[in-house]
Amino acid sequence: MTACYQYPVSMPPHRVAIFVYDGVTLLDVAGPAEVFKEANRFGADYRIVLLSPTGADVTSSLGVRIAVDGAVSSEPAFDTLLVAGSDHYPRAHVPADLAEAARRPAAVAGRVASICTGAFVLAAAGVLDGKRATTHWQVAHELAARHPTCRVEPDAIYVRDGSTYTSAGVTAGIDLALALVEEDHGPDVARDVARALVVYMQRAGGQSQFSAPLQGPPPRSPALRRIADLVTANPRGDHSLGELAKHLNVSTRHLTRLFHDELSTTPARYVENIRFDLARAFLDQGHTATQAATLAGFPSYESMRRVFARKLSISPAAYQRRFSTARRPHPD
């Protein structure tokens, strides 16, 4: 365990309220709270309270009862208000009374933050109108669709827009809390907290590295579905624009227009996306980066590396260290 170093306290107590409600995700609450509690060991003075809409205890998504300190409306303004997320939202719309319960303290807090799908609560309360924000990659599109004035950044681990902060899925609440500690007390204290909790102080790359490969729906048109099947079945084949057009017996111009009209991309970029998804799957299975590049149809490891850097902001090797299976594939 990391030793407890005491830093001189030069700031008044910082009051942190975590807004909870029935169905709340327990890790959204515990993760950030643990960061602030740990920061107190290194000289910070965070005073953490759990508040619910009515002051009644709540039940988490795991069925664990959470004892709260009071009703959010009965407390004075907080330095930091954190709104935890829930699996209930975005599957359902945020109830008006829950949104209103969050809106009032958010209007007077020094800064407001959401963890994961807590962004849906903040957005329903109007807090994210006209602001940049993020949430879990699986539901970022839903947040953007429900709240079109909110500029959703689906790949961000967390986003700051003025005094409003939003973070990605569950454990990203720890990343956000570390960033808030660094903002309050500097990088040394935040680094000590990260080391004590055995987490990264700042993770490389964005949310895309965590999203599921091959998750997109197939093309609607039979012609483009044939192209998708062809490339997936034989990613190492010649899938140049000319060869793909020959396969469909259409002109290159017509094929390019089909991709643009339905998928808003080019044939070359579509082939690259399939190869990228396949390469991620091969890396997940334990293949080396060079093997993954070959199996996925990339001309070279370097060409695959450039695609990973552009899409995920990390290298194939860094991706594999995070996500590959402990089991290695059996040799053929």
Side-chain angles (χ1 to χ4, degrees), residues 31-85:
E34 192 68 25
V35 170
F36 292 122
K37 185 270 294 182
E38 194 69 22
N40 288 343
R41 297 178 58 237
F42 298 100
D45 190 8
Y46 291 106
R47 309 290 174 87
I48 306 166
V49 296
L50 302 183
L51 302 176
S52 68
T54 65
D57 293 348
V58 302
T59 302
S60 76
S61 59
L62 295 178
V64 176
R65 192 167 186 82
I66 300 176
V68 304
D69 298 291
V72 68
S73 60
S74 65
E75 297 288 334
F78 286 89
D79 299 298
T80 298
L81 173 70
L82 295 181
V83 178

Side-chain angles (χ1 to χ4, degrees), residues 7-284:
Y7 291 82
V9 178
S10 58
M11 299 177 65
H14 186 113
R15 303 182 72 240
V16 177
I18 302 180
F19 181 58
V20 298
Y21 44 91
D22 283 329
V24 72
T25 300
L26 192 59
L27 188 56
D28 286 5
V29 180
E34 192 68 25
V35 170
F36 292 122
K37 185 270 294 182
E38 194 69 22
N40 288 343
R41 297 178 58 237
F42 298 100
D45 190 8
Y46 291 106
R47 309 290 174 87
I48 306 166
V49 296
L50 302 183
L51 302 176
S52 68
T54 65
D57 293 348
V58 302
T59 302
S60 76
S61 59
L62 295 178
V64 176
R65 192 167 186 82
I66 300 176
V68 304
D69 298 291
V72 68
S73 60
S74 65
E75 297 288 334
F78 286 89
D79 299 298
T80 298
L81 173 70
L82 295 181
V83 178
S86 169
D87 291 341
H88 293 335
Y89 319 111
R91 291 205 301 262
H93 285 274
V94 177
D97 57 343
L98 180 59
E100 179 61 18
R103 185 192 64 79
R104 293 179 180 179
V108 295
R111 63 188 177 196
V112 181
S114 64
I115 312 301
C116 194
T117 54
F120 283 83
V121 179
L122 284 187
V127 176
L128 301 184
D129 290 349
K131 294 187 176 181
R132 297 165 46 246
T134 194
T135 188
H136 195 288
W137 60 268
Q138 287 183 314
V139 294
H141 66 285
E142 182 66 23
L143 181 65
R146 288 193 195 178
H147 304 280
T149 67
C150 176
R151 302 189 299 278
V152 179
E153 299 183 8
D155 194 39
I157 297 295
Y158 62 85
V159 170
R160 175 185 179 182
D161 191 327
S163 61
T164 303
Y165 303 71
T166 51
S167 66
V170 285
T171 58
I174 295 175
D175 297 87
L176 175 57
L178 283 169
L180 296 177
V181 169
E182 181 176 4
E183 183 178 295
D184 295 336
H185 296 282
D188 290 341
V189 173
R191 190 175 297 111
D192 285 337
V193 173
R195 287 171 174 162
L197 296 178
V198 198
V199 296
Y200 288 107
M201 183 169 172
Q202 183 175 1
R203 280 186 280 183
Q207 285 197 76
S208 295
Q209 61 187 295
F210 302 95
S211 58
L214 305 173
Q215 61 173 320
R220 294 189 304 274
S221 70
L224 296 191
R225 282 201 298 272
R226 287 171 59 192
I227 295 295
D229 293 341
L230 174 70
V231 178
T232 302
N234 181 26
R236 287 183 279 184
D238 179 3
H239 301 309
S240 63
L241 176 60
E243 288 300 313
L244 293 177
K246 287 180 184 178
H247 183 76
L248 294 182
N249 196 27
V250 297
S251 68
T252 57
R253 182 176 180 180
H254 179 68
L255 181 59
T256 299
R257 186 167 58 250
L258 282 177
F259 272 95
H260 178 270
D261 291 347
E262 181 172 338
L263 301 176
S264 299
T265 190
T266 65
R269 185 53 57 89
Y270 187 73
V271 171
E272 179 186 88
N273 288 341
I274 291 178
R275 286 172 169 162
F276 167 71
D277 280 343
L278 290 171
R280 290 175 67 185
F282 289 131
L283 290 171
D284 290 345

